[in-house]
Amino acid sequence: MHCEICHRPSGVRLPFNCALCAQSYAYQPRVDLGLSLLERESIEEEVGRKVNNKPLSQKSATAKRSPEPSPAWTIDRAAADQMVLDEKTAKVLGHVKGLREEIQHVKLDIAKRKASLARRRKETTSARQELSRSQSTELEPIKKDIKRTLHRWDNVHQQTMEQRLLHCTQAARLYSLQQHKRRKGTGGKDMYAIGFMPIPDLRELNSASPSHLTTSLTHLANFVHLVSHHLSLKLPAEITLPHTACPLATILSPNVSYTVNHPPSHGLAIVRSNVNPTASRQMQSGTTPRPRPLYLKQNLSNLAKDDLRAYAYFVEGITLLAWDIAWLCKTQGLDIGNGSWEEVCAMGKNLWQLLQASSGPPTLPKKTSNQSIPQEAPISWTSSLTNHRRDVEEGKVPPPMGHLSHGTAYGFLGAGPGNEYMRDWPLQNPVKVIDKVKSMLLAERTGAEWEILEGNEWEDEDGEAQTKIAKQDRQPGKIEETGILVRVVEDGKRAIDGEDERGKGASGWTKVKSR
C-alpha cells in the first residue's frame, strides 16, 4: 500500500515525509494493542467467573452502564467528524499539491542551470582557445625582446669584464708587478716584486728590512685598492690610503670597516713605543676605530721586545692585507686558503696567479728572471655568457675574472649565488690567520735566538781568529737591488745572511741560548 501524499510504500524504513506515513506506520501497533487488551479482558472475565461463579462482565456492565445517546446525535457527531476529516484531507492534499509544484519549479531551475553551465563551459573553452592563439602571437615579440635584451646585457657585461681585466693588467704593468723565478738546480723559491721592491711573505717578516717592508706595503696597499676599485669590489678590511693626517697606509679590521666617512687620523700614534696608558684607554673607549699600520720603523724582532702592542697591531695589519688579497682572489674564481692558511701568506704569488690566470697564458719575455704581466691579454671566458652564467650560479664552474662585483646587478656578489659561492670559503674570519701568523713568528724568533760568547768564556787556541770572524759578522749589512739582506765581509766578498762560509776552526763560537 502506497501513501496517497508522497507515494512511498509503507514498508520502507525511511524518515517520515508526511503525517499519513506516520499514521500508517503506527496503525498496526495500535491494532495489536487493542487485540491484546480484548484478550486480557476476556481472560479476566473467565477468571472471575470461575472464582465467584458470576461473570465479571455482567457486574461491570451493570456498574458502568450509562444511558445510550440518541440516533440523531450519533449521526450529527459522525457527520461532524467526517467534515473534520475532509478538511484535514483537503488541507493535506493542498500541501501535497504545493510541494509537487515546488518540486517541478526546482527541476526546471536545475535544468536551466545545467543549460547555462554547459553554455558557459563552451564559451570558456572557445575563449581559452582564442587566448592561446592570441598569446602565441603577442608573446612571441616580447620573448624576442627579452632574449635580445639578455643578449645585449651579456655583451655589455662581457665588455665590462674585459675592461676590468684590462685595467687590472695595466695597473699591474704600471706598478711593475713582476715575478723573479729561481734558477733551475738552485734552492730557494720564486720571488715577486712591486715597484721594484720585493713583496714580503708573512713567513719571513722577522728578517725583513723595515724601510723596504714599508715601501713594499705602501705600493701593495695602493695596488690592491686600485684593483678592487677597477673590479668594483668593496674589500672586507678597508684600506686607508695615505692622506694629510697619516702619510702612510693603514688598514681597518672588518668589524669596523666603512663605519666612518673620513679616514682615521691617529694611525701614526700606533707604532710609538712610549704610549701613554691613560691616552690608550681613552682611544679604546672612543668611537673612532683604531687602524692597523702597514709600515714599520724598526726591526720586527726589536719592536716585539720594545712595544708588544705596536708589534701586534703591525702583524694584524699586514695579515689583514694578505687576507684581503686572498678574499679578492676567491671572488675572482681563484681558490686561496682552501688547502692551508699558509697560502694566504704569499701575497705576491696570490696576486700574480690572480692576474696571470685571469689573463690567459701571457707572452713571456726571453729573460725568465724578470717576467712582467703583458699589456694586452684576451679574456679566457669566450663561451656563451648566458649558459656560463647559469653554470656559475649553480656552482658548477668558478666565476671568471670580473664577473662578481659590488657595482653591478649582473653578477652581484651580495646576491644569492654570490653568497652561496663565498659560503664554502674556510677563511671567513681573519682572526684564525692572525693567530697562526703570530704563533709562527713567535716560534721562529724563539728558535733563532743566538748568543755570542766572549773570549774569556770560551777557551780555544784559535781565539783571535774567532774574534775576527765575530767582528766581521757584526758589520752592518746592506740591501741589494733584489731586496735580499746580505752581509759584507772584510775580504770584499758578500754572503747572504746565514749562508756565509767560515774558515777552518771557526765552528763552535756560537751556541743556542737556553731559555
Side-chain angles (χ1 to χ4, degrees):
M1 178 179 182
H2 294 275
C3 179
E4 296 180 356
I5 299 175
C6 59
H7 302 283
R8 291 173 61 184
S10 59
V12 179
R13 294 182 177 273
L14 293 175
F16 304 129
N17 291 335
C18 59
L20 186 59
C21 290
Q23 291 177 1
S24 299
Y25 186 79
Y27 179 76
Q28 186 63 32
R30 292 176 64 185
V31 172
D32 295 339
L33 179 60
L35 292 176
S36 62
L37 291 176
L38 291 176
E39 185 178 0
R40 178 181 177 182
E41 186 177 358
S42 62
I43 292 172
E44 287 181 355
E45 289 179 356
E46 185 178 357
V47 169
R49 186 174 57 252
K50 289 182 179 181
V51 171
N52 299 325
N53 294 324
K54 189 176 181 179
L56 292 176
S57 59
Q58 295 179 1
K59 183 178 181 180
S60 59
T62 56
K64 297 181 181 180
R65 186 174 298 171
S66 59
E68 294 181 358
S70 61
W73 184 85
T74 303
I75 294 172
D76 294 339
R77 180 64 181 272
D81 293 340
Q82 185 65 32
M83 292 177 62
V84 171
L85 291 175
D86 292 341
E87 290 178 358
K88 288 182 179 181
T89 303
K91 186 176 180 181
V92 169
L93 292 176
H95 184 64
V96 169
K97 185 177 180 181
L99 291 177
R100 288 177 178 175
E101 291 178 355
E102 187 176 355
I103 290 172
Q104 292 296 330
H105 288 302
V106 171
K107 289 181 178 181
L108 292 175
D109 190 20
I110 291 173
K112 291 180 181 179
R113 289 187 179 185
K114 286 183 178 181
S116 176
L117 288 176
R119 185 177 63 256
R120 290 174 63 184
R121 217 175 266 116
K122 287 183 179 180
E123 293 176 356
T124 303
T125 304
S126 60
R128 284 180 179 176
Q129 294 177 356
E130 184 67 24
L131 182 61
S132 62
R133 288 193 295 268
S134 61
Q135 280 182 350
S136 60
T137 56
E138 294 179 2
L139 290 179
E140 189 65 27
I142 297 176
K143 290 181 179 180
K144 289 182 180 180
D145 292 340
I146 292 174
K147 290 181 180 180
R148 191 180 301 109
T149 303
L150 289 176
H151 182 67
R152 191 184 303 114
W153 196 6
D154 292 338
N155 291 335
V156 171
H157 185 67
Q158 184 177 3
Q159 295 175 4
T160 304
M161 291 168 54
E162 293 175 356
Q163 291 300 319
R164 286 173 180 173
L165 177 59
L166 179 61
H167 290 166
C168 292
T169 52
Q170 288 186 354
R173 185 173 58 87
L174 292 175
Y175 272 85
S176 299
L177 181 63
Q178 299 173 350
Q179 180 190 33
H180 301 269
K181 294 186 70 67
R182 62 180 178 86
R183 295 180 180 178
K184 295 182 179 180
T186 60
K189 56 183 179 181
D190 299 343
M191 293 185 60
Y192 302 89
I194 184 170
F196 303 103
M197 298 298 295
I199 299 176
D201 194 313
L202 299 185
R203 294 164 291 190
E204 301 173 356
L205 292 179
N206 287 325
S207 60
S209 172
S211 58
H212 285 205
L213 190 61
T214 301
T215 306
S216 178
L217 288 180
T218 303
H219 292 335
L220 197 60
N222 281 273
F223 177 68
V224 172
H225 187 274
L226 184 60
V227 169
S228 65
H229 172 70
H230 289 325
L231 294 176
S232 300
L233 286 171
K234 183 182 288 186
L235 296 174
E238 181 184 4
I239 297 176
T240 305
L241 299 180
H243 52 281
T244 305
C246 181
L248 295 172
T250 57
I251 191 170
L252 292 172
S253 57
N255 55 346
V256 295
S257 296
Y258 309 101
T259 56
V260 292
N261 296 328
H262 302 285
S265 60
H266 54 274
L268 288 174
I270 296 176
V271 296
R272 295 175 183 174
S273 58
N274 52 353
V275 179
N276 189 3
T278 305
S280 178
R281 285 194 295 269
Q282 291 177 359
M283 291 172 63
Q284 290 180 358
S285 61
T287 57
T288 305
R290 181 187 297 271
R292 299 320 189 235
L294 294 178
Y295 49 87
L296 199 61
K297 291 187 175 182
Q298 56 179 335
N299 189 273
L300 192 62
S301 302
N302 298 333
L303 182 63
K305 296 177 182 178
D306 298 341
D307 192 347
L308 189 59
R309 177 176 295 180
Y311 164 78
Y313 285 162
F314 174 76
V315 174
E316 290 178 8
I318 192 173
T319 308
L320 287 175
L321 180 60
W323 182 70
D324 268 351
I325 295 174
W327 180 87
L328 191 65
C329 295
K330 176 64 178 178
T331 57
Q332 304 308 309
L334 184 62
D335 289 336
I336 299 296
N338 289 337
S340 173
W341 65 272
E342 294 184 355
E343 297 178 1
V344 182
C345 300
M347 295 184 288
K349 181 181 178 181
N350 295 338
L351 281 177
W352 179 263
Q353 288 181 353
L354 171 65
L355 296 175
Q356 186 182 16
S358 60
S359 60
T363 305
L364 300 178
K366 294 181 180 180
K367 296 182 179 180
T368 58
S369 61
N370 186 6
Q371 298 177 353
S372 60
I373 292 182
Q375 180 177 1
E376 296 181 358
I379 188 170
S380 62
W381 194 35
T382 57
S383 60
S384 176
L385 283 176
T386 304
N387 298 331
H388 203 284
R389 177 188 58 183
R390 196 175 298 112
D391 295 340
V392 169
E393 292 178 354
E394 294 176 359
K396 296 180 180 179
V397 294
M401 177 75 171
H403 176 67
L404 295 177
S405 67
H406 289 125
T408 55
Y410 192 111
F412 184 62
L413 184 60
N419 292 331
E420 189 68 24
Y421 170 70
M422 294 297 295
R423 188 177 301 170
D424 299 335
W425 195 40
L427 300 179
Q428 297 287 344
N429 195 346
V431 178
K432 178 181 177 181
V433 184
I434 293 174
D435 294 340
K436 293 286 186 180
V437 172
K438 287 182 179 179
S439 302
M440 178 191 62
L441 294 177
L442 178 61
E444 184 179 356
R445 287 198 311 273
T446 304
E449 289 183 352
W450 299 82
E451 178 181 346
I452 299 178
L453 301 181
E454 300 296 338
N456 55 1
E457 296 180 2
W458 191 273
E459 296 180 357
D460 195 356
E461 297 178 356
D462 300 332
E464 296 180 359
Q466 295 169 2
T467 305
K468 182 179 179 180
I469 293 173
K471 289 181 179 179
Q472 292 175 357
D473 291 336
R474 292 193 186 96
Q475 289 183 358
K478 69 175 184 178
I479 305 294
E480 286 194 348
E481 295 179 357
T482 58
I484 302 176
L485 180 63
V486 299
R487 189 170 60 252
V488 180
V489 296
E490 289 183 356
D491 56 357
K493 298 180 180 180
R494 65 183 182 91
I496 301 176
D497 189 11
E499 297 181 0
D500 56 335
E501 297 180 357
R502 307 185 186 275
K504 185 178 181 181
S507 61
W509 67 279
T510 57
K511 72 174 184 179
V512 179
K513 184 177 180 180
S514 60
R515 290 291 180 184

